Amino acid sequence: MLTPQGPLSMPPFPASAAGPDLRHLFLGSEGRMGVMTNVVVRISPLPEKDDVYGIFFPSWEQAVQAVQAMAGTDISFSMVRLSNSTETKMNFALTGHKQQIALLAKYLRFRGISDKEACMCLIGFTGSRRLTAAARRAAFSIVRRHKGILIGRPMGNAWKKNRFHSAYIRNTLWDLGYAVDTLETAVSWDKVTTTMQAIEASLHETIKPDNERVHVFSHLSHVYSNGSSIYTTFLFRLLDPPRKMLETWKRLKNAASRTIVTAGGTISHQHGVGKDHKPYLAAEKGDIGIHMLQNVFKQLDPDQRMNPDKLLP
């Protein structure tokens, strides 16, 4: 077990070139290297502005091009969330405001965006009034070049208000006889669309032999200059007996995981590895990388008492 004077203890230097930063190794170890008992945090004043704006694009291709263009600049946005057309329809259905959604759909059609192809995008700007105003101007210029339609803050405010409701919806769906799960990865920009399509297709194909169907939709939630995360949600009917239900979920999960590995994506962008993703980690780290991690864990926890069986065998 590690102590504040242990091998990962480091003075609070602003920066250091004294070899690899061991804290990164610890933070990714999922508890295999020890337990944090003492943490220093940094606090900041609340920003002057923390706004989210809603945008619609005519197609997924145009939306991805716009988001990639923004990610490749120095525009200071705090978040980007781009839903594909299926998730956009789901967002409409879950609002519970049929008249407002009907008016929005009518307005989008007037602006040349069809209900079937529309992709919803949320962009957040956080900071001082001056900096967020400059970031908005630069971002919205890119949006307009890719035929995006700005709806404004009301849509962003609605998302902020309801963004944590999904856990409760998940529980309600279970009571109604449906299971819902999520999975995610990250790939370079040239692979975003094909990987998303392959993941969704793998889920549909896996459950088809059972004469069952799965509802699948995806969004990009973390964008980088060289790529993006892909976050996929899938919904399917509960099966009897429970063992069959578990086996079906495992088949869906494994099919999507194999697709991710084949596409060259990371097996986990933010969810962690745990046990579910463990069989696929070697494809990402390589044999030498896995061996190095095994040696580190063996050195720091020879009795395997710290969260055993997670991350690595």
Side-chain angles (χ1 to χ4, degrees):
M1 185 174 296
L2 304 178
T3 69
Q5 292 76 38
L8 297 184
S9 177
M10 296 182 67
F13 297 134
S16 170
D21 190 341
L22 298 178
R23 293 171 297 185
H24 291 173
L25 194 64
F26 180 83
L27 290 172
S29 70
E30 300 192 12
R32 290 291 301 266
M33 294 177 66
V35 175
M36 292 185 187
T37 59
N38 194 359
V39 178
V40 177
V41 299
R42 180 176 61 186
I43 61 174
S44 302
L46 289 174
E48 289 183 277
K49 302 290 288 183
D50 184 14
D51 297 327
V52 178
Y53 292 79
I55 296 165
F56 283 92
F57 288 95
S59 69
W60 173 256
E61 289 75 17
Q62 288 165 299
V64 171
Q65 290 171 7
V67 169
Q68 181 180 357
M70 281 187 281
T73 68
D74 59 355
I75 296 174
S76 181
F77 52 82
S78 54
M79 66 156 282
V80 172
R81 181 186 175 105
L82 173 61
S83 299
N84 66 7
S85 58
T86 306
E87 182 168 286
T88 298
K89 296 184 185 73
M90 282 291 299
N91 291 332
F92 281 175
L94 292 174
T95 61
H97 302 290
K98 292 184 178 180
Q99 291 183 341
Q100 294 179 9
I101 293 302
L103 288 173
L104 175 59
K106 185 177 180 180
Y107 173 70
L108 292 176
R109 287 195 298 271
F110 174 75
R111 296 294 301 271
I113 298 180
S114 73
D115 300 353
K116 294 181 180 180
E117 300 297 328
C119 292
M120 186 180 84
C121 183
L122 296 167
I123 305 180
F125 303 94
T126 304
S128 69
R129 293 180 183 275
R130 180 178 62 85
L131 291 178
T132 55
R136 286 199 309 272
R137 288 192 297 270
F140 295 161
S141 175
I142 293 174
V143 166
R144 288 191 293 271
R145 288 204 302 269
H146 292 85
K147 311 302 181 184
I149 303 299
L150 177 65
I151 301 300
R153 283 187 295 176
M155 196 171 87
N157 291 337
W159 174 80
K160 287 166 69 174
K161 180 180 178 181
N162 299 314
R163 57 182 164 169
F164 298 122
H165 288 181
S166 58
Y168 302 98
I169 295 174
R170 176 196 62 196
N171 295 340
T172 300
L173 285 169
W174 186 275
D175 293 337
L176 294 174
Y178 295 91
V180 60
D181 198 8
T182 59
L183 54 91
E184 36 90 72
T185 184
V187 294
S188 56
W189 280 114
D190 60 312
K191 297 180 179 179
V192 165
T193 297
T194 54
T195 302
M196 181 191 73
Q197 293 172 341
I199 291 170
E200 293 190 352
S202 71
L203 293 168
H204 286 294
E205 291 300 320
T206 296
I207 207 168
K208 189 180 293 185
D210 299 330
N211 292 321
E212 295 285 341
R213 292 186 295 174
V214 60
H215 186 51
V216 188
F217 46 92
S218 303
H219 67 256
L220 312 184
S221 58
H222 295 74
V223 299
Y224 309 91
S225 60
N226 60 337
S228 174
S229 69
I230 303 170
Y231 196 97
T232 298
T233 301
F234 59 100
L235 174 76
F236 61 103
R237 192 169 65 91
L238 295 178
L239 303 172
D240 285 324
R243 181 181 296 276
K244 183 178 181 182
M245 166 67 195
L246 180 59
E247 290 173 351
T248 299
W249 171 81
K250 286 182 177 179
R251 283 169 40 224
L252 289 165
K253 179 69 174 177
N254 290 335
S257 296
R258 289 192 298 269
T259 301
I260 287 170
V261 170
T262 300
T266 176
I267 195 58
S268 178
H269 170 255
Q270 61 183 19
H271 285 178
V273 174
K275 292 183 178 180
D276 294 335
H277 300 143
K278 187 166 59 172
Y280 308 97
L281 191 63
E284 184 169 335
K285 301 298 185 187
D287 292 339
I288 294 176
I290 293 294
H291 187 63
M292 288 172 60
L293 290 174
Q294 287 172 334
N295 286 337
V296 171
F297 296 162
K298 183 178 180 180
Q299 176 71 24
L300 295 176
D301 182 25
D303 297 329
Q304 296 192 32
R305 289 191 271 179
M306 306 304 299
N307 205 21
D309 299 327
K310 303 294 173 56
L311 192 67
L312 296 175

